[in-house]
Amino acid sequence: MQIENIPQAIRQCAQVAGLLWQKGWAERNGGNMVLRIGESDVLQLSLEPSGCVFPCGCSVPLLAGQYFYCKASGHRMRDLASSPLSYGCIICISDDGMQYQVLGSGDLKPTSEITAHLLIHNQLVAENSPNKATLHSHPTTLVALSHIDSLCKDAELTRILHGMIPEARLFVPRGINIIPYFEPGSVELAEQTLQAIKGCDIVLWRKHGVLSTGPDMMEAFDNIDIMEKSAEIYWRYRTLI
Ligand code: 2HA
Ligand code: ZN
């Protein structure tokens, strides 16, 4: 399919994937993204159900019948950047909110972190939030800071990062919450992320990466970009004093 015929919100996901690669926050198949899309987007893509059904790994009743664009498991952000439908797939959540079906050929499976993303989307719908995008990536300096025990306190890290540049407090006012290391793709990681995201803009997964939300994928990226910039300035400032 020609890129011009792909819905704008999915083209924006491709743009963000390219930025993540350029930033160095998406090595190999690192990072993932999930965007809630409308039925009109699916109609535009003329995709049929593939028959491939998988468990959500959690109960997401508020997402029943909803469609999501997801980075595909095992694939690279840098490839998705130029071909969003070859390295990303559309899923539809079942009526009981326990399973999803992949649309299209069924050759692709969504990201290994799909459970964390879906739990957060379920919460966003419960809160009537305008946020439709969830984004996970591996921003270098934030991950480095997450190795330091004394910094890994929600209020303390938020205070430090808010103090580095004015944009941090302005655009990421609720700051960052931190959770311990859990196995990537695990239900524990998903459940802890869900608890931590209530009341903040970004969750820092210690020794791994971050998860952010936004009305669209670009704004979810902007939140990470701003906090990573703050973290970088904090690191350089600490080396100078
Ligand atoms: O999708 O980043 O956390 C690859 C990952 C898993
Ligand atoms: Zn990751």
Side-chain angles (χ1 to χ4, degrees), residues 32-53:
N32 33 73
M33 50 175 62
V34 174
L35 176 74
R36 185 152 60 89
I37 58 173
E39 208 168 345
S40 60
D41 296 317
V42 179
L43 284 173
Q44 185 175 339
L45 293 168
S46 330
L47 292 172
E48 297 294 328
S50 67
C52 298
V53 176

PDB file of all heavy atoms in Angstrom, residues 32-53:
ATOM      1  N   ASN A  32       8.494  -0.398  21.712  1.00  0.00           N
ATOM      2  CA  ASN A  32       7.241  -0.783  21.066  1.00  0.00           C
ATOM      3  C   ASN A  32       6.226   0.335  21.213  1.00  0.00           C
ATOM      4  O   ASN A  32       6.383   1.219  22.058  1.00  0.00           O
ATOM      5  CB  ASN A  32       6.707  -2.116  21.627  1.00  0.00           C
ATOM      6  CG  ASN A  32       7.030  -2.319  23.071  1.00  0.00           C
ATOM      7  OD1 ASN A  32       6.428  -1.663  23.905  1.00  0.00           O
ATOM      8  ND2 ASN A  32       8.007  -3.174  23.378  1.00  0.00           N
ATOM      9  N   MET A  33       5.206   0.285  20.376  1.00  0.00           N
ATOM     10  CA  MET A  33       4.181   1.337  20.383  1.00  0.00           C
ATOM     11  C   MET A  33       2.821   0.729  20.086  1.00  0.00           C
ATOM     12  O   MET A  33       2.722  -0.242  19.325  1.00  0.00           O
ATOM     13  CB  MET A  33       4.496   2.423  19.361  1.00  0.00           C
ATOM     14  CG  MET A  33       4.814   1.908  17.988  1.00  0.00           C
ATOM     15  SD  MET A  33       5.051   3.212  16.742  1.00  0.00           S
ATOM     16  CE  MET A  33       6.435   4.116  17.333  1.00  0.00           C
ATOM     17  N   VAL A  34       1.792   1.291  20.739  1.00  0.00           N
ATOM     18  CA  VAL A  34       0.411   0.831  20.512  1.00  0.00           C
ATOM     19  C   VAL A  34      -0.469   2.079  20.430  1.00  0.00           C
ATOM     20  O   VAL A  34      -0.425   2.936  21.310  1.00  0.00           O
ATOM     21  CB  VAL A  34      -0.053  -0.115  21.647  1.00  0.00           C
ATOM     22  CG1 VAL A  34      -1.528  -0.470  21.472  1.00  0.00           C
ATOM     23  CG2 VAL A  34       0.783  -1.402  21.648  1.00  0.00           C
ATOM     24  N   LEU A  35      -1.258   2.162  19.363  1.00  0.00           N
ATOM     25  CA  LEU A  35      -2.109   3.334  19.133  1.00  0.00           C
ATOM     26  C   LEU A  35      -3.546   2.879  18.947  1.00  0.00           C
ATOM     27  O   LEU A  35      -3.819   2.002  18.117  1.00  0.00           O
ATOM     28  CB  LEU A  35      -1.637   4.059  17.866  1.00  0.00           C
ATOM     29  CG  LEU A  35      -2.474   5.254  17.442  1.00  0.00           C
ATOM     30  CD1 LEU A  35      -2.237   6.447  18.354  1.00  0.00           C
ATOM     31  CD2 LEU A  35      -2.160   5.627  15.995  1.00  0.00           C
ATOM     32  N   ARG A  36      -4.489   3.497  19.704  1.00  0.00           N
ATOM     33  CA  ARG A  36      -5.908   3.170  19.498  1.00  0.00           C
ATOM     34  C   ARG A  36      -6.379   3.908  18.247  1.00  0.00           C
ATOM     35  O   ARG A  36      -6.194   5.123  18.144  1.00  0.00           O
ATOM     36  CB  ARG A  36      -6.721   3.583  20.727  1.00  0.00           C
ATOM     37  CG  ARG A  36      -8.173   3.185  20.646  1.00  0.00           C
ATOM     38  CD  ARG A  36      -8.755   2.965  22.026  1.00  0.00           C
ATOM     39  NE  ARG A  36      -8.683   4.151  22.855  1.00  0.00           N
ATOM     40  CZ  ARG A  36      -9.621   5.109  22.917  1.00  0.00           C
ATOM     41  NH1 ARG A  36     -10.738   4.989  22.204  1.00  0.00           N
ATOM     42  NH2 ARG A  36      -9.466   6.147  23.701  1.00  0.00           N
ATOM     43  N   ILE A  37      -6.940   3.147  17.309  1.00  0.00           N
ATOM     44  CA  ILE A  37      -7.384   3.755  16.054  1.00  0.00           C
ATOM     45  C   ILE A  37      -8.881   3.532  15.881  1.00  0.00           C
ATOM     46  O   ILE A  37      -9.492   2.725  16.592  1.00  0.00           O
ATOM     47  CB  ILE A  37      -6.603   3.184  14.832  1.00  0.00           C
ATOM     48  CG1 ILE A  37      -6.773   1.657  14.735  1.00  0.00           C
ATOM     49  CG2 ILE A  37      -5.118   3.546  14.901  1.00  0.00           C
ATOM     50  CD1 ILE A  37      -6.176   1.052  13.469  1.00  0.00           C
ATOM     51  N   GLY A  38      -9.463   4.231  14.928  1.00  0.00           N
ATOM     52  CA  GLY A  38     -10.909   4.137  14.711  1.00  0.00           C
ATOM     53  C   GLY A  38     -11.251   3.116  13.647  1.00  0.00           C
ATOM     54  O   GLY A  38     -10.390   2.683  12.871  1.00  0.00           O
ATOM     55  N   GLU A  39     -12.549   2.777  13.600  1.00  0.00           N
ATOM     56  CA  GLU A  39     -13.018   1.818  12.604  1.00  0.00           C
ATOM     57  C   GLU A  39     -12.786   2.363  11.188  1.00  0.00           C
ATOM     58  O   GLU A  39     -12.491   1.614  10.251  1.00  0.00           O
ATOM     59  CB  GLU A  39     -14.505   1.551  12.829  1.00  0.00           C
ATOM     60  CG  GLU A  39     -14.934   0.193  12.383  1.00  0.00           C
ATOM     61  CD  GLU A  39     -16.329  -0.170  12.880  1.00  0.00           C
ATOM     62  OE1 GLU A  39     -16.855   0.503  13.800  1.00  0.00           O
ATOM     63  OE2 GLU A  39     -16.884  -1.129  12.318  1.00  0.00           O
ATOM     64  N   SER A  40     -12.876   3.692  11.046  1.00  0.00           N
ATOM     65  CA  SER A  40     -12.691   4.290   9.711  1.00  0.00           C
ATOM     66  C   SER A  40     -11.262   4.055   9.215  1.00  0.00           C
ATOM     67  O   SER A  40     -11.041   3.859   8.018  1.00  0.00           O
ATOM     68  CB  SER A  40     -13.016   5.784   9.741  1.00  0.00           C
ATOM     69  OG  SER A  40     -12.153   6.418  10.655  1.00  0.00           O
ATOM     70  N   ASP A  41     -10.281   4.059  10.167  1.00  0.00           N
ATOM     71  CA  ASP A  41      -8.896   3.780   9.761  1.00  0.00           C
ATOM     72  C   ASP A  41      -8.779   2.348   9.238  1.00  0.00           C
ATOM     73  O   ASP A  41      -8.090   2.086   8.258  1.00  0.00           O
ATOM     74  CB  ASP A  41      -7.941   3.954  10.961  1.00  0.00           C
ATOM     75  CG  ASP A  41      -7.920   5.383  11.465  1.00  0.00           C
ATOM     76  OD1 ASP A  41      -7.877   6.297  10.634  1.00  0.00           O
ATOM     77  OD2 ASP A  41      -7.952   5.582  12.703  1.00  0.00           O
ATOM     78  N   VAL A  42      -9.463   1.423   9.929  1.00  0.00           N
ATOM     79  CA  VAL A  42      -9.392   0.002   9.524  1.00  0.00           C
ATOM     80  C   VAL A  42     -10.054  -0.164   8.157  1.00  0.00           C
ATOM     81  O   VAL A  42      -9.539  -0.875   7.284  1.00  0.00           O
ATOM     82  CB  VAL A  42     -10.054  -0.893  10.599  1.00  0.00           C
ATOM     83  CG1 VAL A  42     -10.011  -2.355  10.188  1.00  0.00           C
ATOM     84  CG2 VAL A  42      -9.368  -0.697  11.944  1.00  0.00           C
ATOM     85  N   LEU A  43     -11.190   0.540   7.947  1.00  0.00           N
ATOM     86  CA  LEU A  43     -11.877   0.461   6.653  1.00  0.00           C
ATOM     87  C   LEU A  43     -10.974   0.993   5.544  1.00  0.00           C
ATOM     88  O   LEU A  43     -10.889   0.415   4.461  1.00  0.00           O
ATOM     89  CB  LEU A  43     -13.177   1.274   6.701  1.00  0.00           C
ATOM     90  CG  LEU A  43     -14.323   0.615   7.459  1.00  0.00           C
ATOM     91  CD1 LEU A  43     -15.504   1.579   7.591  1.00  0.00           C
ATOM     92  CD2 LEU A  43     -14.767  -0.676   6.750  1.00  0.00           C
ATOM     93  N   GLN A  44     -10.272   2.086   5.853  1.00  0.00           N
ATOM     94  CA  GLN A  44      -9.345   2.679   4.855  1.00  0.00           C
ATOM     95  C   GLN A  44      -8.269   1.673   4.442  1.00  0.00           C
ATOM     96  O   GLN A  44      -7.809   1.660   3.310  1.00  0.00           O
ATOM     97  CB  GLN A  44      -8.704   3.934   5.470  1.00  0.00           C
ATOM     98  CG  GLN A  44      -7.837   4.702   4.504  1.00  0.00           C
ATOM     99  CD  GLN A  44      -7.311   6.011   5.106  1.00  0.00           C
ATOM    100  OE1 GLN A  44      -7.857   6.543   6.069  1.00  0.00           O
ATOM    101  NE2 GLN A  44      -6.235   6.529   4.528  1.00  0.00           N
ATOM    102  N   LEU A  45      -7.890   0.796   5.390  1.00  0.00           N
ATOM    103  CA  LEU A  45      -6.825  -0.172   5.111  1.00  0.00           C
ATOM    104  C   LEU A  45      -7.369  -1.453   4.465  1.00  0.00           C
ATOM    105  O   LEU A  45      -6.594  -2.311   4.037  1.00  0.00           O
ATOM    106  CB  LEU A  45      -6.090  -0.525   6.411  1.00  0.00           C
ATOM    107  CG  LEU A  45      -5.283   0.637   7.019  1.00  0.00           C
ATOM    108  CD1 LEU A  45      -4.845   0.303   8.433  1.00  0.00           C
ATOM    109  CD2 LEU A  45      -4.084   0.960   6.148  1.00  0.00           C
ATOM    110  N   SER A  46      -8.699  -1.583   4.430  1.00  0.00           N
ATOM    111  CA  SER A  46      -9.390  -2.776   3.893  1.00  0.00           C
ATOM    112  C   SER A  46      -8.788  -4.072   4.424  1.00  0.00           C
ATOM    113  O   SER A  46      -8.425  -4.956   3.635  1.00  0.00           O
ATOM    114  CB  SER A  46      -9.357  -2.852   2.370  1.00  0.00           C
ATOM    115  OG  SER A  46      -9.326  -1.643   1.770  1.00  0.00           O
ATOM    116  N   LEU A  47      -8.691  -4.179   5.728  1.00  0.00           N
ATOM    117  CA  LEU A  47      -8.122  -5.392   6.332  1.00  0.00           C
ATOM    118  C   LEU A  47      -9.237  -6.297   6.840  1.00  0.00           C
ATOM    119  O   LEU A  47     -10.210  -5.816   7.435  1.00  0.00           O
ATOM    120  CB  LEU A  47      -7.194  -5.022   7.502  1.00  0.00           C
ATOM    121  CG  LEU A  47      -5.904  -4.293   7.142  1.00  0.00           C
ATOM    122  CD1 LEU A  47      -5.198  -3.823   8.402  1.00  0.00           C
ATOM    123  CD2 LEU A  47      -4.996  -5.196   6.320  1.00  0.00           C
ATOM    124  N   GLU A  48      -9.071  -7.582   6.620  1.00  0.00           N
ATOM    125  CA  GLU A  48     -10.056  -8.563   7.104  1.00  0.00           C
ATOM    126  C   GLU A  48      -9.465  -9.288   8.308  1.00  0.00           C
ATOM    127  O   GLU A  48      -8.233  -9.386   8.423  1.00  0.00           O
ATOM    128  CB  GLU A  48     -10.338  -9.610   6.017  1.00  0.00           C
ATOM    129  CG  GLU A  48     -10.954  -9.066   4.742  1.00  0.00           C
ATOM    130  CD  GLU A  48     -12.353  -8.522   4.966  1.00  0.00           C
ATOM    131  OE1 GLU A  48     -13.061  -9.076   5.843  1.00  0.00           O
ATOM    132  OE2 GLU A  48     -12.726  -7.558   4.283  1.00  0.00           O
ATOM    133  N   PRO A  49     -10.297  -9.848   9.205  1.00  0.00           N
ATOM    134  CA  PRO A  49      -9.761 -10.650  10.316  1.00  0.00           C
ATOM    135  C   PRO A  49      -8.945 -11.824   9.779  1.00  0.00           C
ATOM    136  O   PRO A  49      -9.314 -12.439   8.772  1.00  0.00           O
ATOM    137  CB  PRO A  49     -11.019 -11.146  11.031  1.00  0.00           C
ATOM    138  CG  PRO A  49     -12.105 -10.213  10.607  1.00  0.00           C
ATOM    139  CD  PRO A  49     -11.747  -9.733   9.238  1.00  0.00           C
ATOM    140  N   SER A  50      -7.830 -12.114  10.431  1.00  0.00           N
ATOM    141  CA  SER A  50      -6.940 -13.184   9.931  1.00  0.00           C
ATOM    142  C   SER A  50      -7.322 -14.560  10.478  1.00  0.00           C
ATOM    143  O   SER A  50      -6.881 -15.576   9.965  1.00  0.00           O
ATOM    144  CB  SER A  50      -5.505 -12.895  10.347  1.00  0.00           C
ATOM    145  OG  SER A  50      -5.399 -12.997  11.761  1.00  0.00           O
ATOM    146  N   GLY A  51      -8.106 -14.545  11.584  1.00  0.00           N
ATOM    147  CA  GLY A  51      -8.386 -15.809  12.274  1.00  0.00           C
ATOM    148  C   GLY A  51      -7.352 -16.125  13.337  1.00  0.00           C
ATOM    149  O   GLY A  51      -7.539 -17.071  14.106  1.00  0.00           O
ATOM    150  N   CYS A  52      -6.262 -15.375  13.372  1.00  0.00           N
ATOM    151  CA  CYS A  52      -5.230 -15.607  14.407  1.00  0.00           C
ATOM    152  C   CYS A  52      -5.618 -14.867  15.679  1.00  0.00           C
ATOM    153  O   CYS A  52      -5.646 -13.629  15.696  1.00  0.00           O
ATOM    154  CB  CYS A  52      -3.864 -15.115  13.937  1.00  0.00           C
ATOM    155  SG  CYS A  52      -3.284 -15.970  12.478  1.00  0.00           S
ATOM    156  N   VAL A  53      -5.931 -15.638  16.733  1.00  0.00           N
ATOM    157  CA  VAL A  53      -6.419 -15.058  17.991  1.00  0.00           C
ATOM    158  C   VAL A  53      -5.436 -15.401  19.099  1.00  0.00           C
ATOM    159  O   VAL A  53      -4.938 -16.531  19.178  1.00  0.00           O
ATOM    160  CB  VAL A  53      -7.827 -15.617  18.317  1.00  0.00           C
ATOM    161  CG1 VAL A  53      -8.324 -15.123  19.670  1.00  0.00           C
ATOM    162  CG2 VAL A  53      -8.812 -15.223  17.213  1.00  0.00           C
TER     163      VAL A  53
END
